[in-house]
């Protein structure tokens, strides 16, 4: 019996790593209420719960993607441990304290993962900020090429460049500018 | 290194990172890396950057699916999250329909452009029509509607995580430069006329929101203040502002944003007449190759003093441009201060009279000045 639960969880994590909607939905369905209870019982709102759960899901997503998820614990325990740490931190930041910690779940050590997550989160925000400050048409151009994986020919047509060589030159310049903005903050 | 080489190199680095190279190519490229430390450094930083960018994209997509799943499960009652109400629902709806709203807004903007184009085409051409103002209008409508079509296509899976910064499409642009390093800039009034939103972008491409704090259509001068909380004051402005009339044949130079790729551009010329178009005494005539987008650029002399603000060119004569003398800027500041009750930034501003770049050569001067010259984007 235990074997099958484990196998199921491995499948779910593989799906999660691919951003497969079914797997993500399954994990969401199974564990959301537990995390919401944790947050709501400890001085939080339903909106807080949603934020905390989704951030914990991002941590799990990264863990699954890196392929280092060792199944020495269940997804449930992992999510619960991460969410608890995230929520405690948020409470501290807002100087809101919960007098008595209402704790039900079992815990595993997640320090390293959270530290890595914090760095990644900062990088994410910096990238977001850099892209927002890039201006048009650079923003759309880079998004079309790197995120939507459009070809240079398609981009040239969509943005009105005479040929894909021109679009390529423009893309290069935009990329250099984005790198300049990103790295001017990154080193600090 | 030549730009073309750089483009090829970046492409190679990206193929190298994503493992698209054939084994032969890979070997060749790795040898190149070993031989050239500059290339090696570039591979390292570009790899780091591409990683960050890819993860950003993955997270965005993941956040989008999480939100979608949450909404679905909450509506089905599978999870106990309360249905959104009040403010949260508003924010949700706002996020959901923001794209549609912005498209609607730009269609409205297009219509307005069309109407004004029709009006303009039937207005009898006055004498002044011989002067072209140099603000740059993005006129390719076809291009715009293509982009809209693309936006509509991507509407379904779009996800914009920051509701505080709705996207603004800027339709026209010009140049401005700092008169006070705390964030006060000067440009031409015609650059910002009819503006609803104004933003300025530094030569590194960082964009800041700004507002118009003063405008004088007669003298064609406007003052902008950067209101963006991300903006940090720069060191004091390097150039001075000279009241003096420049001499005939005196060399002048300018920096601005006439180029399509929004890269800052330098150009030089000389003073060709002490009055402006048709004897206008507010301005002077220079021989310089100015282009659309150059409106609002500073005109500087050898000493690094701003002697005026570029505002137009003569249509039928190549290279003939006009600038408004700095004297007018002094006058405007005095008038505004005399009235009181104005923006505190204007009240406290004092134009720098001593150029700190007087002894530098032109290359060094340009390097110092470029950080103080901003692109103005208007919508």
């Amino acid at each position: 019996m235990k074997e099958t639960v484990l196998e199921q969880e491995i499948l779910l994590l593989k799906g999660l790593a691919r951003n497969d909607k079914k797997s993500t939905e399954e994990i969401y369905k199974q564990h959301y209420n537990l995390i919401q209870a944790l947050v709501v019982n400890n001085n939080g709102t339903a909106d807080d719960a949603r934020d905390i759960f989704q951030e914990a899901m991002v941590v799990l997503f990264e863990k699954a993607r890196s392929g280092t998820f060792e199944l020495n614990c269940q997804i449930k325990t992992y999510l619960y441990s991460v969410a608890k740490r995230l929520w405690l931190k948020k409470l501290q930041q807002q100087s809101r304290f919960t007098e008595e910690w209402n704790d039900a779940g079992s815990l595993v050590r997640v320090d390293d993962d959270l530290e890595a997550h914090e760095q990644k989160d900062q990088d994410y925000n910096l990238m977001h900020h850099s892209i927002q400050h890039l201006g048009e048409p650079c923003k759309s151009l880079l998004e079309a090429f790197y995120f939507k994986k459009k070809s240079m020919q398609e981009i040239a047509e969509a943005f009105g460049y005479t040929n894909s060589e021109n679009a390529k030159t423009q893309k290069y310049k935009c990329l250099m500018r984005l790198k300049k903005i990103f790295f001017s903050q990154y080193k600090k | 290194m030549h730009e073309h080489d750089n483009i090829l190199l970046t492409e190679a680095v990206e193929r190298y990172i994503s493992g698209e190279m054939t084994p032969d190519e890979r070997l060749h490229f790795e040898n190149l890396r070993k031989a050239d430390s500059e290339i090696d450094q570039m591979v390292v930083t570009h790899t780091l950057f591409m990683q960050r960018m890819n993860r950003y994209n993955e997270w965005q997509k993941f956040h989008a699916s999480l939100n979608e799943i949450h909404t679905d499960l909450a509506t089905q009652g599978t999870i106990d999250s309360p249905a959104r109400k009040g403010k949260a629902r508003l924010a949700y709806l706002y996020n959901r329909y923001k794209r549609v709203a912005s498209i609607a807004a730009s269609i409205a903007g297009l219509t307005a452009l069309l109407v004004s184009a029709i009006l303009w085409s039937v207005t009898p051409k006055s004498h002044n029509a011989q002067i072209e103002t140099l603000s740059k209008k993005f006129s390719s409508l076809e291009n715009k509607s293509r982009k809209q079509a693309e936006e509509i296509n991507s509407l379904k899976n779009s996800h914009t995580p920051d509701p505080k910064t709705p996207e603004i499409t800027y339709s026209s642009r010009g140049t401005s430069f700092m008169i006070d390093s705390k964030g006060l800039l000067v440009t031409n009034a015609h650059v910002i006329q009819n503006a609803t939103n104004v933003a300025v972008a530094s030569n590194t491409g960082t964009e800041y929101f700004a507002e118009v704090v003063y405008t004088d259509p007669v003298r064609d001068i406007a003052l902008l203040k950067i209101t963006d909380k991300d903006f940090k004051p720069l060191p004091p402005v390097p150039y001075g502002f000279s009241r003096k009339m420049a001499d005939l044949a005196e060399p002048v130079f300018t920096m601005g944003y006439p180029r399509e790729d929004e890269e800052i551009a330098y150009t030089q010329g000389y003073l060709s007449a002490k009055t402006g178009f048709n004897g206008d005494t507010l301005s002077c005539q220079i021989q310089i190759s100015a282009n659309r987008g150059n409106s609002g650029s500073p005109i500087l002399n050898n000493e690094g003093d701003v002697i005026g603000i570029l505002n137009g060119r003569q249509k039928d004569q190549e290279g003939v441009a006009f600038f408004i003398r700095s004297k007018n800027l002094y006058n405007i500041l005095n008038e505004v201060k005399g009235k009181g009750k104005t923006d505190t930034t204007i009240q406290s501003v004092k134009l720098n009279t001593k150029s700190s770049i007087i002894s530098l050569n032109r290359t060094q001067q340009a390097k110092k000045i470029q950080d103080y010259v901003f692109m103005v984007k208007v919508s």
Side-chain angles (χ1 to χ4, degrees):
Chain A
M1 190 64 199
K2 198 158 188 220
E3 194 75 7
T4 51
V5 172
L6 235 147
E7 276 167 13
Q8 269 177 13
E9 295 224 315
I10 291 174
L11 276 180
L12 281 181
L13 287 174
K14 280 190 180 152
L16 182 71
R18 293 195 309 271
N19 195 4
D20 164 55
K21 206 182 156 196
K22 273 223 177 76
S23 312
T24 314
E25 190 170 321
E26 191 56 37
I27 301 176
Y28 214 109
K29 226 190 278 181
Q30 287 179 11
H31 307 295
Y32 183 78
N33 287 348
L34 176 74
I35 306 299
Q36 177 168 269
L38 168 80
V39 173
V40 172
N41 289 337
N42 291 286
N43 210 4
T45 64
D47 279 344
D48 292 328
R50 177 196 169 114
D51 291 345
I52 293 294
F53 181 74
Q54 295 198 349
E55 197 173 346
M57 283 294 280
V58 173
V59 178
L60 184 68
F61 175 61
E62 278 297 306
K63 186 93 174 154
R65 258 160 40 102
S66 70
T68 58
F69 196 91
E70 295 147 18
L71 278 169
N72 53 9
C73 71
Q74 289 185 324
I75 294 179
K76 176 177 157 187
T77 317
Y78 187 80
L79 277 178
Y80 189 86
S81 307
V82 171
K84 184 179 172 183
R85 285 283 298 272
L86 291 173
W87 181 232
L88 270 174
K89 194 175 168 205
K90 193 149 189 203
L91 283 174
Q92 271 164 12
Q93 275 170 356
Q94 301 175 348
S95 316
R96 278 154 69 191
F97 294 100
T98 161
E99 295 194 345
E100 211 174 290
W101 188 256
N102 295 303
D103 212 344
S106 53
L107 296 170
V108 285
R109 275 179 69 87
V110 287
D111 302 55
D112 293 350
D113 292 352
L114 281 175
E115 205 176 303
H117 173 70
E118 214 163 283
Q119 183 58 49
K120 285 175 186 169
D121 197 43
Q122 270 177 25
D123 291 352
Y124 173 88
N125 287 328
L126 178 57
M127 186 59 79
H128 180 72
H129 172 90
S130 308
I131 291 177
Q132 292 305 319
H133 276 73
L134 189 59
E136 294 294 357
C138 274
K139 182 169 172 284
S140 304
L141 208 163
L142 291 181
E143 281 174 351
F145 184 77
Y146 287 105
F147 298 165
K148 293 174 194 154
K149 310 282 179 207
K150 295 263 195 317
S151 73
M152 271 303 154
Q153 191 54 45
E154 287 172 298
I155 290 174
E157 278 165 26
F159 290 81
Y161 295 111
T162 40
N163 56 45
S164 59
E165 267 321 295
N166 284 347
K168 207 183 265 181
T169 312
Q170 187 63 32
K171 187 216 87 184
Y172 170 78
K173 284 180 181 158
C174 291
L175 186 69
M176 288 306 115
R177 253 179 55 196
L178 181 63
K179 279 178 83 169
K180 204 164 162 187
I181 302 175
F182 181 83
F183 281 114
S184 69
Q185 301 282 318
Y186 186 74
K187 275 162 195 153
K188 282 170 199 162
Chain B
M1 218 182 300
H2 195 268
E3 185 174 78
H4 186 66
D5 295 339
N6 274 327
I7 297 178
L8 287 178
L9 189 58
T10 313
E11 230 176 334
V13 174
E14 281 172 19
R15 290 181 53 234
Y16 176 73
I17 298 169
S18 60
E20 284 168 36
M21 281 189 170
T22 64
D24 274 359
E25 265 185 305
R26 209 177 165 77
L27 193 70
H28 182 73
F29 191 76
E30 267 158 12
N31 284 334
L32 197 67
R33 262 185 90 171
K34 272 182 212 144
D36 190 332
S37 65
E38 207 177 308
I39 291 183
D40 188 55
Q41 184 58 35
M42 189 180 154
V43 174
V44 173
T45 54
H46 203 65
T47 309
L48 184 137
F49 183 77
M50 293 307 289
Q51 256 177 12
R52 301 300 181 276
M53 205 153 84
N54 286 336
R55 193 187 299 131
Y56 173 79
N57 184 28
E58 294 300 327
W59 280 26
Q60 280 220 316
K61 285 195 285 193
F62 188 61
H63 279 304
S65 60
L66 283 178
N67 280 325
E68 212 175 300
I69 290 169
H70 188 98
T71 314
D72 286 352
L73 295 180
T75 338
Q76 288 165 20
T78 321
I79 56 171
D80 302 335
S81 185
R84 292 158 177 282
K85 48 185 181 246
K87 231 176 166 178
R89 181 166 171 78
L90 242 166
Y92 168 72
L93 286 177
Y94 172 72
N95 279 332
R96 221 176 139 163
Y97 295 109
K98 181 161 70 173
R99 284 270 166 161
V100 184
S102 74
I103 289 167
S106 48
I107 290 171
L110 265 184
T111 321
L113 261 179
L114 267 177
V115 169
S116 60
I118 293 164
L119 279 180
W120 178 81
S121 66
V122 294
T123 318
K125 288 195 172 50
S126 70
H127 197 49
N128 270 343
Q130 283 174 286
I131 301 191
E132 237 182 324
T133 54
L134 297 176
S135 71
K136 189 153 190 155
K137 288 243 155 65
F138 301 135
S139 57
S140 97
L141 296 186
E142 192 195 10
N143 192 356
K144 236 182 174 168
S145 49
R146 272 213 204 115
K147 252 198 235 168
Q148 276 169 3
E150 210 189 37
E151 266 184 280
I152 293 168
N153 283 336
S154 63
L155 198 61
K156 238 179 99 188
N157 44 16
S158 72
H159 165 65
T160 351
D162 192 354
K164 278 164 281 171
T165 49
E167 243 173 74
I168 299 164
T169 320
Y170 296 101
S171 52
S172 143
R173 69 169 200 246
T175 302
S176 66
F177 60 100
M178 291 246 174
I179 58 173
D180 185 278
S181 59
K182 286 199 272 302
L184 196 62
L185 301 120
V186 62
T187 185
N188 292 134
H190 77 255
V191 169
I192 50 89
Q193 69 180 354
N194 305 327
T196 41
N197 288 298
V198 179
V200 295
S202 71
N203 68 321
T204 58
T206 314
E207 246 176 53
Y208 302 104
F209 289 115
E211 64 181 34
V212 180
V213 284
Y214 176 85
T215 170
D216 181 341
V218 177
R219 282 179 283 205
D220 199 13
I221 285 182
L223 300 177
L224 306 175
K225 187 178 141 187
I226 297 180
T227 52
D228 206 305
K229 59 181 187 323
D230 288 342
F231 174 75
K232 306 224 166 28
L234 300 173
V237 291
Y239 37 74
F241 288 83
S242 172
R243 278 196 187 84
K244 272 197 341 235
M245 166 66 88
D247 286 318
L248 272 183
E250 195 176 318
V252 295
F253 69 101
T254 185
M255 296 179 86
Y257 296 92
R259 287 173 43 151
E260 208 55 65
D261 62 7
E262 307 187 348
E263 201 62 50
I264 194 164
Y266 168 92
T267 162
Q268 58 187 19
Y270 55 87
L271 190 94
S272 49
K274 287 188 174 184
T275 57
F277 186 67
N278 278 356
D280 175 6
T281 51
L282 286 174
S283 56
C284 295
Q285 183 185 314
I286 43 175
Q287 192 72 26
I288 202 164
S289 78
N291 280 305
R292 292 172 163 274
N294 258 129
S295 268
S297 299
I299 300 293
L300 297 110
N301 61 16
N302 277 343
E303 282 74 49
D305 279 320
V306 175
I307 58 169
I309 303 150
L310 190 73
N311 80 322
R313 69 173 174 193
Q314 200 164 330
K315 260 185 176 171
D316 50 2
Q317 254 178 301
E318 196 58 38
V320 174
F322 304 98
F323 69 88
I324 313 151
R325 294 176 53 195
S326 290
K327 195 175 82 175
N328 295 293
L329 189 59
Y330 275 101
N331 293 347
I332 282 177
L333 287 173
N334 284 337
E335 286 163 29
V336 174
K337 282 181 186 171
K339 275 188 203 139
K341 246 179 77 179
T342 43
D343 199 287
T344 45
T345 344
I346 300 191
Q347 288 294 343
S348 62
V349 70
K350 202 168 167 291
L351 291 182
N352 180 27
T353 49
K354 275 214 166 59
S355 158
S356 63
I357 45 176
I358 186 162
S359 55
L360 300 183
N361 69 30
R362 189 57 61 80
T363 321
Q364 292 165 325
Q365 284 180 337
K367 204 173 267 177
K368 292 268 185 211
I369 294 167
Q370 62 178 0
D371 292 340
Y372 296 83
V373 181
F374 287 73
M375 190 192 317
V376 186
K377 297 179 165 192
V378 170
S379 73

